[in-house]
Amino acid sequence: MNKGLFITIEGPDGSGKSTQIKRLKDYFNSKGYMAVFTREPGGTAISEKIRELILDKESKEMAGMAEALLYSASRAQLVAEVIGPAIDRGETVICDRFLDSSIAYQGYGRELGDCIRTINEYAVQGYIPDLTLLMKINPKLGKERIPQKDLDRIEAEKQAFHRRVYEGYLNMEKEYDRFVGIDASRSVEDISAVIIERVEALMRIRGVI
Ligand code: ADP
Ligand code: TYD
């Protein structure tokens, strides 16, 4: 059996990923397309527990490397329990954040560098996205969209951190053919239309629709 399609959505906090995933899910339902929608950090009971620990504002002392390993642990569980089995069954998987978030946030943001790629090779077990939709927006604008009181531990990081994260994403966009940049400052509807076009094009090429 052919492997399923693996699509991820990435970008700074507040870039509109959740909004677009929800719209894509509604579109899939309206068309009768099948897909597994999931998110990181989280997506399994164990990964959601790890998520709570990482994002808790009380986890102030968390070392950068501990944070990186926890994100990859959450990912390893999601790959083992959900993503890997679905792709092996030939299903399409659409994930809100994945490996590239760690490269951007821990590799560039926390300045831990290339070891993040190495750690994550163990976590992802060869399941690399076929298409990564990168929501491009000035990180300051993205952050302004999120109410101050709702900011989690990572979102509350200083501007310089978020600038480095964004720079990381822009570097990956140049580095990887699977990245497709999307202007996330446009309207919700315009962005949806671009995403649907990209996703359907890939599904057609792969004979999914
Ligand atoms: P993310 O999941 O990337 O953090 P969200 O989808 O939660 O982003 O969006 C963050 C906030 O910005 C929400 O209040 C949402 O309604 C709003 N938003 C999402 N997309 C847009 C857009 N294209 N233009 C303006 N505001 C948006
Ligand atoms: P998420 O809930 O997806 O935030 P948002 O709704 O803004 O997209 O992710 C929580 C935070 O975790 C977000 O600030 C990005 C961060 N993160 C990392 O730092 N490394 C990672 O590997 C992942 C998956 C997320």
Side-chain angles (χ1 to χ4, degrees), residues 21 26 32 34 38-41 51 55 73 87 92-93 98 117 124 152 154 166 189 196 199:
I21 287 270
D26 291 346
M34 303 297 285
T38 187
R39 70 153 183 184
E40 277 210 354
R51 176 192 174 92
L55 297 182
I87 289 176
T92 298
V93 173
F98 193 59
R117 294 176 200 254
V124 306
D152 63 42
I154 305 284
Y166 193 50
E189 294 74 18
I196 287 168
V199 169

Side-chain angles (χ1 to χ4, degrees), residues 31-194:
K31 288 284 197 178
Y33 300 160
M34 303 297 285
V36 174
F37 285 84
T38 187
R39 70 153 183 184
E40 277 210 354
T44 71
I46 291 171
S47 308
E48 292 290 337
K49 282 189 188 167
I50 301 175
R51 176 192 174 92
E52 268 176 44
L53 178 62
I54 311 178
L55 297 182
D56 188 351
K57 283 186 196 148
E58 300 293 310
S59 303
K60 281 190 203 72
E61 309 84 359
M62 189 178 289
M65 189 54 75
E67 178 184 287
L69 289 164
L70 283 170
Y71 275 115
S72 58
S74 157
R75 180 164 305 127
Q77 186 65 32
L78 182 67
V79 167
E81 215 180 306
V82 178
I83 296 177
I87 289 176
D88 291 348
R89 286 193 301 266
E91 294 170 17
T92 298
V93 173
I94 299 178
C95 193
D96 186 348
R97 295 195 182 279
F98 193 59
L99 156 78
D100 305 311
S101 282
S102 280
I103 297 175
Y105 283 78
Q106 282 65 52
Y108 285 84
R110 297 265 183 249
E111 302 182 297
L112 294 172
D114 266 352
C115 74
I116 301 304
R117 294 176 200 254
T118 312
I119 295 167
N120 277 283
E121 275 176 27
Y122 295 100
V124 306
Q125 295 287 311
Y127 292 95
I128 301 292
D130 298 292
L131 170 67
T132 298
L133 302 159
L134 174 62
M135 301 288 280
K136 292 171 73 171
I137 193 167
N138 177 329
K140 192 164 171 279
L141 274 181
K143 200 172 161 188
E144 279 166 10
R145 285 180 177 172
I146 308 167
Q148 190 71 23
K149 64 171 178 43
D150 293 343
L151 294 178
D152 63 42
R153 196 175 63 84
I154 305 284
E155 287 165 345
E157 274 291 335
K158 51 192 184 304
Q159 247 189 61
F161 173 88
H162 290 287
R163 270 203 305 271
R164 287 197 297 275
V165 169
Y166 193 50
E167 189 193 308
Y169 274 130
L170 298 182
N171 285 346
M172 282 189 271
E173 186 190 12
K174 287 190 208 127
E175 192 180 343
Y176 299 124
D177 290 342
R178 66 181 162 87
F179 264 68
V180 168
I182 291 171
D183 179 355
S185 65
R186 294 170 65 184
S187 73
V188 168
E189 294 74 18
D190 283 359
I191 298 168
S192 272
V194 174

